[in-house]
Amino acid sequence: MTYFANVTKIAYEGAKSKNPLAFKYYNPEEIVAGKTMEEQLRFSVAYWHTFTAEGADPFGAATMTRPWDQYTGMDKAKVRVEAAFELFEKLNVPFFAFHDRDIAPEGSTLQETNKNLDTMVTMIKEYMKTSKTKLLWNTANLFSHPRFVHGAATSCNADVFAYSAAQVKKGLEVGKELGAENYVFWGGREGYETLLNTDLQLELDNLAKFFHMAVAYAKEIGFTGQFLIEPKPKEPTKHQYDFDAAAAVAFLERYGLLEHFKMNIEANHATLAGHNFQHELRWCRINGILGSVDANQGDLLLGWDTDEFPTDMYETTLAMYEILKNGGLGKGGLNFDAKPRRGSIDTDDLFYAHIAGMDSFARGLKVAQKLIEDRVFEDVLADRYHSFTEGIGLAIVSGNADFHTLEKYAMENQRINNQSGRQEKIKSILNQYLLEV
Ligand code: XLS
Ligand code: CA
Ligand code: CA
């Protein structure tokens, strides 16, 4: 049985290829910066967008018809797994990621829901035996069902807290069973709409307790995947607690949790938080907490999370620059938390979309590697901050200055010479690399 009859295994054909179903830049075996592209990029398919999204938006119904749509319930779930592993193989991706409810439908009780999940996990495990595609991460959907109307681990209702805990407990067991490299916590409903009815202190304390329980349970069952928090400032909740990486880290530190978590940075969430993708990656890198990446892009003309496939070469290049400077992503990967646009209604569009994303990051990787090799930004920084390598600057960075010595210095050296920041020159050099590498 084939679900994607128009598509054969996607091969690397090089930049001159006119075949839309071929990679132009992603050559999994090519060595870049000491590792194969496959090892550097660690691409992952997001199960929810690729196998459960059908093009619905708040104003209209689904636009896409998928091969599994003729089935319902558990039959549909099973057909999706068959189709998923066909797509993974044809795209030659090393990883995938899912929410519990993406792979198995809810039953009428938690027991039945877990039974459905077990059936699907057994099936997926069987497929994984003969597939190269591994589980990058799994997570619990603590946002779709109406029970999460007031939050999950930050709900005002203790019964919902308990239900959420049961769901994450099961999620960690599933992660262990399938060898997940990470486990993601995204708090879409962990936040508030108005402080007029919100006990902010209690909600944050409860969220911390929830995370401590998850850490304890992972230890208890021997789940060794990396825990990741995925920051997002808003949507669906007006204000989400894990607003951005800085807010998430301040929270983790305050509650003694920082050593157990890294960040899963999503490009589109960064822009919603008023940052850019590179900012969030850089911030995590310098703080040693860059865990994984949800590789997509937003639309700056729209104020919501559009989850587009990443095709902006500036963004992919600067993202790969941060990732290479980080020494790679470790257990993390580049997960395409992205969906074809509502008008891209054909099943083949799933392939075009992934090819576009994979090629954009592969090309970004090569340009970033060359930028690093040539020390383009490193030299810019060395030059710009050279005042901290000698004299008073060296005294400041080495901790040998105080307000007395600095006041004395300032009084004796009142002629300050600032130099140009040269942004435009730097951008034009970056363009040369983008166009010529
Ligand atoms: C939604 C998030 C979500 C997480 C996993 O905006 O990106 O899909 O990645 O729950
Ligand atoms: Ca995401
Ligand atoms: Ca998103």
Side-chain angles (χ1 to χ4, degrees):
M1 177 70 194
T2 172
Y3 298 94
F4 308 105
N6 297 340
V7 183
T8 52
K9 191 160 179 165
I10 311 296
Y12 167 69
E13 291 185 5
K16 299 261 180 318
S17 169
K18 294 263 191 285
N19 176 4
L21 287 169
F23 295 121
K24 318 299 179 304
Y25 302 102
Y26 180 58
N27 179 6
E29 282 129 46
E30 185 178 332
I31 305 284
V32 182
K35 287 188 207 159
T36 63
M37 276 199 183
E38 182 169 284
E39 290 164 338
Q40 292 283 16
L41 296 162
R42 294 171 63 84
F43 287 130
S44 159
V45 170
Y47 208 92
W48 53 104
H49 286 310
T50 298
F51 305 108
T52 73
E54 291 163 343
D57 75 8
F59 294 90
T63 55
M64 302 160 182
T65 316
R66 299 296 189 216
W68 43 88
D69 283 344
Q70 49 184 306
Y71 304 91
T72 54
M74 285 295 280
D75 291 336
K76 188 170 188 170
K78 288 175 186 168
V79 171
R80 278 181 172 139
V81 172
E82 292 174 10
F85 280 87
E86 184 184 336
L87 180 134
F88 300 159
E89 204 205 323
K90 288 187 167 170
L91 277 176
N92 189 24
V93 279
F95 294 103
F96 71 116
F98 63 76
H99 300 83
D100 44 9
R101 304 299 173 252
D102 304 334
I103 61 164
E106 284 221 26
S108 49
T109 60
L110 186 55
Q111 286 81 343
E112 195 186 316
T113 301
N114 283 350
K115 200 168 147 256
N116 288 348
L117 196 54
D118 285 338
T119 305
M120 296 316 302
V121 167
T122 305
M123 180 174 177
I124 289 174
K125 195 173 177 184
E126 206 46 44
Y127 269 75
M128 286 174 78
K129 280 187 187 151
T130 52
S131 165
K132 72 178 256 181
T133 308
K134 294 190 281 187
L135 186 56
L136 186 67
W137 51 261
N138 64 311
T139 186
N141 179 331
L142 302 176
F143 45 90
S144 294
H145 194 279
R147 76 175 65 85
F148 303 114
V149 58
H150 301 306
T154 62
S155 173
C156 51
N157 184 344
D159 289 353
V160 178
F161 185 104
Y163 196 101
S164 308
Q167 214 176 308
V168 171
K169 175 176 177 289
K170 184 74 183 166
L172 294 173
E173 291 160 13
V174 166
K176 184 176 179 211
E177 182 72 11
L178 295 179
E181 307 227 355
N182 306 271
Y183 187 87
V184 164
F185 294 87
W186 172 64
R189 304 239 179 238
E190 312 294 25
Y192 63 81
E193 300 297 327
T194 170
L195 287 174
L196 298 178
N197 66 8
T198 300
D199 188 337
L200 190 64
Q201 178 81 65
L202 180 69
E203 292 201 2
L204 290 171
D205 289 350
N206 282 352
L207 185 58
K209 292 211 168 68
F210 193 88
F211 286 147
H212 274 294
M213 290 179 208
V215 168
Y217 191 66
K219 195 167 169 212
E220 183 185 326
I221 64 170
F223 174 69
T224 53
Q226 171 71 52
F227 275 10
L228 300 171
I229 300 249
E230 184 179 321
K232 185 176 183 182
K234 56 189 170 195
E235 200 207 15
T237 308
K238 187 168 86 179
H239 177 92
Q240 279 166 215
Y241 292 135
D242 297 321
F243 189 95
D244 59 3
V249 166
F251 169 85
L252 292 171
E253 209 157 18
R254 152 93 173 76
Y255 288 99
L257 282 157
L258 192 53
E259 64 182 297
H260 303 292
F261 287 84
K262 287 188 172 176
M263 297 293 130
N264 182 36
I265 294 301
E266 178 172 323
N268 204 165
H269 297 183
T271 50
L272 288 176
H275 303 306
N276 64 19
F277 190 19
Q278 190 185 12
H279 166 94
E280 286 290 81
L281 295 172
R282 173 76 60 92
W283 201 91
C284 289
R285 168 163 81 79
I286 64 168
N287 285 287
I289 50 153
L290 178 53
S292 197
V293 170
D294 270 6
N296 63 12
Q297 70 186 30
D299 188 326
L300 296 179
L301 299 182
L302 303 173
W304 61 90
D305 191 15
T306 60
D307 287 344
E308 297 176 28
F309 271 85
T311 51
D312 182 329
M313 297 291 307
Y314 254 81
E315 296 293 316
T316 60
T317 298
L318 295 175
M320 287 316 301
Y321 173 81
E322 298 302 332
I323 291 167
L324 285 176
K325 294 290 278 188
N326 193 57
L329 286 170
K331 289 183 172 199
L334 296 174
N335 175 51
F336 289 115
D337 191 350
K339 56 188 176 212
R341 297 304 81 198
R342 189 165 189 261
S344 301
I345 56 179
D346 292 346
T347 299
D348 292 356
D349 288 311
L350 291 172
F351 286 88
Y352 297 132
H354 281 92
I355 291 168
M358 290 163 84
D359 270 342
S360 299
F361 266 94
R363 178 91 176 131
L365 166 67
K366 288 184 83 165
V367 179
Q369 192 272 334
K370 187 78 175 121
L371 285 162
I372 292 171
E373 191 183 303
D374 293 353
R375 295 188 46 83
V376 172
F377 300 130
E378 288 69 16
D379 285 346
V380 166
L381 297 195
D383 183 41
R384 190 154 186 248
Y385 293 88
H386 79 271
S387 70
F388 285 95
T389 61
E390 59 196 18
I392 195 69
L394 185 58
I396 293 169
V397 296
S398 54
N400 293 319
D402 60 21
F403 273 11
H404 297 289
T405 55
L406 292 171
E407 181 191 50
K408 183 168 180 293
Y409 179 87
M411 288 191 165
E412 287 166 3
N413 298 276
Q414 300 203 24
R415 250 178 67 107
I416 290 178
N417 285 321
N418 271 318
Q419 283 171 11
S420 169
R422 301 239 190 279
Q423 268 194 61
E424 297 76 11
K425 178 184 162 199
I426 299 164
K427 285 180 181 169
S428 129
I429 295 170
L430 175 57
N431 278 348
Q432 275 182 290
Y433 276 79
L434 276 161
L435 294 168
E436 279 164 31
V437 165

